[in-house]
């Protein structure tokens, strides 16, 4: 099956994309443009941006929601509330960052594995893919290694990354009863998936230098805050 025919088959599924965005006016339009046509809804959650993120995302064709309270998890929860209120619920939700560091066109790989392998969740692993030089800082690389090592020791979880690029079935996502409102969102999802016995796997994804400065790895406050929250989340769900 060719990539084109494979993607055509995905059009029969209800696949929605959720993108939290904080001050990503230079990147979010590129992200939206690169998302495969099989996506039904592209939902960008404008997370208290003070630039033109909302305008750019809207002009690129996305559904734009406003979440005035900052927080990655807070923005994701806002997007989930919107999807939950749709007349026809999604079957699959894809989470994607707005900074253009991921390759949205690789989305078909996550969906193909999810569907063909009958998985509930697929994580795009940057650790297993090709990373552009400088795309991940040392704190990011070390933090991912430490967090996944601890998850393996504490929960027998087989992950190599906390990558934000991920696909999950909607009904299973709701079962997780996600709560985290900031840095702990991705690891909470992965820990809860393991504890609830969801079927999960990883696929290698490529990664490039983001457009603009990272709100997490680009500041000392972000690095410390994310590190603390990840460790706290591991302890909370142990």
């Amino acid at each position: 099956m060719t990539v084109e025919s494979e993607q055509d088959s995905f059009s029969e599924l209800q696949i929605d994309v959720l993108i939290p965005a904080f001050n990503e006016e230079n990147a979010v339009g590129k992200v939206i443009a690169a998302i495969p046509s099989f996506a039904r809804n592209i939902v960008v959650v404008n997370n208290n941006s003070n630039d033109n993120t909302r305008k750019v995302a809207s002009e690129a064709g996305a559904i734009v929601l406003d979440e005035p309270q900052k927080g990655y998890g807070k923005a994701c929860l806002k997007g989930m509330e919107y999807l939950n209120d749709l007349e026809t619920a999604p079957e699959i939700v894809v989470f994607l960052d707005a900074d253009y560091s991921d390759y949205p066109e690789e989305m078909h790989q996550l969906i193909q594995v999810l569907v063909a392998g009958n998985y509930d969740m697929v994580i795009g692993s940057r650790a297993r893919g090709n990373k552009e030089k400088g795309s991940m800082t040392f704190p990011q690389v070390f933090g991912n290694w430490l967090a996944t090592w601890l998850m393996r020791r504490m929960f027998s979880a087989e992950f190599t990354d906390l990558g934000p690029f991920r696909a999950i079935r909607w009904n299973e996502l709701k079962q997780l009863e996600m709560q985290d409102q900031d840095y702990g969102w991705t690891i909470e999802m992965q820990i809860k998936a393991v504890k609830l016995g969801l079927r999960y796997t990883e696929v290698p994804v490529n990664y490039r230098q983001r457009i603009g400065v990272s709100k997490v790895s680009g500041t000392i406050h972000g690095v410390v805050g994310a590190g603390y929250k990840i460790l706290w989340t591991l302890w909370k769900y142990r």
Side-chain angles (χ1 to χ4, degrees), residues 154-155 177 179-180 188 191-192 195 232-238:
M154 297 170 69
F155 305 101
E177 298 181 348
Q179 298 176 14
D180 194 87
E188 178 193 357
I191 291 171
K192 285 185 171 180
K195 296 190 74 171
W232 183 86
T233 302
L234 282 162
W235 180 258
K236 177 181 177 181
Y237 292 107
R238 70 193 190 284

Side-chain angles (χ1 to χ4, degrees), residues 17-57:
V17 182
L18 205 165
I19 307 173
F22 170 58
N23 287 347
E24 299 289 1
E25 63 179 2
N26 295 320
V28 68
K30 295 179 182 294
V31 174
I32 295 167
I35 292 174
S37 60
F38 59 74
R40 179 183 67 163
N41 294 313
I42 300 172
V43 180
V44 173
V45 184
N46 178 38
N47 195 201
N48 198 33
S49 299
N50 54 28
D51 65 358
N52 290 315
T53 294
R54 175 178 238 292
K55 180 175 182 291
V56 172

Side-chain angles (χ1 to χ4, degrees), residues 102-176:
D102 291 304
Y103 289 75
E105 56 270 28
E106 294 182 342
M107 194 176 298
H108 76 279
Q109 298 175 25
L110 277 70
I111 302 299
Q112 195 277 332
V113 171
L114 186 83
V115 174
N118 200 26
Y119 289 104
D120 299 311
M121 181 177 74
V122 175
I123 304 294
S125 172
R126 299 165 296 182
R128 292 182 171 178
N130 295 316
K131 298 188 293 295
E132 184 178 86
K133 184 177 181 180
S135 60
M136 292 184 71
T137 64
F138 174 76
Q140 281 181 294
V141 174
F142 176 75
N144 271 297
W145 173 82
L146 179 60
T148 54
W149 181 81
L150 288 171
M151 279 197 287
R152 191 158 52 248
R153 293 293 298 270
M154 297 170 69
F155 305 101
S156 298
E158 294 298 326
F159 293 113
T160 63
D161 195 7
L162 305 181
F165 193 10
R166 54 185 60 201
I168 183 169
R169 296 183 188 273
W170 174 246
N171 289 335
E172 280 65 32
L173 176 59
K174 290 198 296 183
Q175 286 181 28
L176 299 182

Side-chain angles (χ1 to χ4, degrees), residues 77 101 138 216 233:
L77 289 168
S101 54
F138 174 76
V216 179
T233 302

